[in-house]
Amino acid sequence: SADFERLVASNPNSSEVWIKYMAFHLSLADIDSARTVANRAFERIVFREEGEKLNVWTALLTLELKYGNDKSLQATADRACKQNNPKQVYLRVCELLDKEVEAAALASSIGSNDLVTSTKRADDMFTKMCKKFKSKKTVWIAHFQYLLKGSRHEEAHALLKRSLQSLPNYKHVEVMSKFAQMEFELGSAERGRTIFNALLEKHPKRMDLLFVNIDKEIKSGDILKARALFDSVVNPVSNERKQKFKFSDKQMKSLFKKWYRMEEEHGDEESQERVKEEARTFVVKSKGG
């Protein structure tokens, strides 16, 4: 204990030192002393070191989650909100509860019954967070991720619809894009494609969306689908498709570059040559040749 006192005296703004001091008390099963150390840290860490303070608050929230009860956890979260960015506090709490659900899911496979309790606690906190900060996209995105990780796809899609009713219009595209990306990673690539298709149909000038879609196809190992996306821009097959993308010559140059890089990594000489040929054809066409 004396060693830790010396350490905190010489490093009063270091969350790492304070958290180790808390862990020392917890290793001796002295939970109240660990709480006291956290409260001392809040007084000692200077005001401008917001990140350091939030780290200690996260450690205290973790302590309450493990050794306290729902009431003490909520009381600590409420206190933390007064001294930190409230949205960041709720995101941290939800992240901790999400991890608890994951641990409980693992334990339930070997006969533990904590999963129902953990899931209800996390569900309630995520719902509360989205209600409290309903105009902030990050809270909805965190909630989508939590549901998709738990294979709760229908609930996630219902939540997406609710989020779009609460969020300002200018945030809709990014939120839907994030959801589509999560579908590729945690759910169904096909559902992800459906969302990207709808987005690209509505925003034919947004090459950034097309590139994110292509990157997800490559990452999921579907090079044919990625290639088909490049192709749909360069060789639209019907009048309807012709209207789909409206890219400038400068954007098309970056599209051909990206396509060529993909073929270098995942294709062969023939596929690389095809991109070069398509690029040459496009240049001739754009010059009116």
Side-chain angles (χ1 to χ4, degrees):
S1 185
D3 288 345
F4 278 110
E5 285 299 335
R6 277 194 295 277
L7 276 170
V8 295
S10 57
N11 303 285
N13 294 319
S14 167
S15 58
E16 192 183 347
V17 172
W18 288 106
I19 291 166
K20 281 180 179 169
Y21 198 178
M22 289 172 71
F24 164 72
H25 286 301
L26 290 175
S27 70
L28 303 174
D30 190 349
I31 294 153
D32 284 338
S33 291
R35 285 189 179 111
T36 304
V37 167
N39 288 319
R40 280 177 60 199
F42 303 141
E43 285 171 19
R44 292 288 303 280
I45 297 172
V46 293
F47 183 72
R48 66 181 172 275
E49 295 285 359
E50 288 176 19
E52 298 296 316
K53 275 197 173 182
L54 187 56
N55 289 341
V56 181
W57 276 110
T58 305
L60 184 59
L61 288 161
T62 306
L63 178 152
E64 295 303 346
L65 183 57
K66 198 169 180 183
Y67 302 104
N69 52 37
D70 287 357
K71 203 174 173 184
S72 70
L73 178 68
Q74 188 59 58
T76 305
D78 291 341
R79 272 179 65 210
C81 284
K82 286 173 186 163
Q83 292 193 32
N84 302 272
N85 176 327
K87 184 185 77 172
Q88 292 304 328
V89 171
Y90 268 85
L91 283 166
R92 291 277 177 110
V93 174
C94 286
E95 191 186 327
L96 295 172
L97 292 170
D98 184 2
K99 282 179 184 162
E100 193 192 41
V101 170
E102 280 181 13
L106 209 61
S108 74
S109 60
I110 48 171
S112 166
N113 297 319
D114 293 338
L115 186 57
V116 175
T117 314
S118 300
T119 304
K120 178 162 185 350
R121 184 149 61 167
D123 283 4
D124 290 348
M125 194 61 86
F126 271 103
T127 302
K128 188 174 183 178
M129 175 174 73
C130 288
K131 207 171 177 181
K132 212 172 172 66
F133 308 101
K134 57 175 182 272
S135 65
K136 305 291 184 189
K137 62 180 183 292
T138 44
V139 300
W140 294 101
I141 290 166
H143 200 171
F144 300 152
Q145 190 172 24
Y146 164 69
L147 291 173
L148 287 170
K149 270 199 311 201
S151 300
R152 295 160 67 180
H153 304 293
E154 283 180 21
E155 289 172 74
H157 276 262
L159 187 74
L160 175 63
K161 284 178 185 165
R162 281 213 304 284
S163 75
L164 297 176
Q165 288 164 1
S166 297
L167 289 163
N169 282 343
Y170 73 91
K171 293 183 180 180
H172 287 194
V173 175
E174 193 186 341
V175 166
M176 288 177 75
S177 169
K178 285 272 193 237
F179 192 94
Q181 291 171 58
M182 283 182 206
E183 277 287 16
F184 269 94
E185 291 158 23
L186 304 165
S188 142
E190 204 44 62
R191 282 195 297 263
R193 276 179 205 119
T194 304
I195 296 170
F196 273 124
N197 274 339
L199 281 172
L200 289 164
E201 207 73 56
K202 206 172 174 185
H203 304 277
K205 293 180 181 177
R206 291 285 300 266
M207 186 168 266
D208 57 321
L209 291 175
L210 177 70
F211 279 7
V212 172
N213 188 0
I214 287 167
D215 287 341
K216 284 294 158 199
E217 294 291 6
I218 295 169
K219 204 172 176 186
S220 69
D222 209 327
I223 305 304
L224 288 176
K225 285 271 193 321
R227 199 173 280 143
L229 279 166
F230 282 119
D231 232 344
S232 70
V233 181
V234 180
N235 297 305
V237 286
S238 68
N239 289 333
E240 186 193 336
R241 274 286 190 190
K242 248 187 182 66
Q243 299 307 310
K244 185 166 181 182
F245 297 108
K246 292 173 183 168
F247 297 142
S248 67
D249 287 358
K250 192 179 174 185
Q251 284 177 308
M252 289 302 288
K253 190 179 175 184
S254 61
L255 179 120
F256 283 118
K257 266 187 185 169
K258 190 175 179 70
W259 190 358
Y260 191 75
R261 274 201 306 272
M262 181 190 85
E263 297 300 355
E264 275 185 318
E265 211 173 314
H266 303 282
D268 52 25
E269 278 184 32
E270 195 182 327
S271 66
Q272 288 163 35
E273 194 48 53
R274 197 194 143 213
V275 179
K276 286 181 186 172
E277 191 52 49
E278 290 287 6
R280 283 191 289 267
T281 307
F282 176 79
V283 170
V284 171
K285 268 189 198 166
S286 67
K287 285 180 177 170

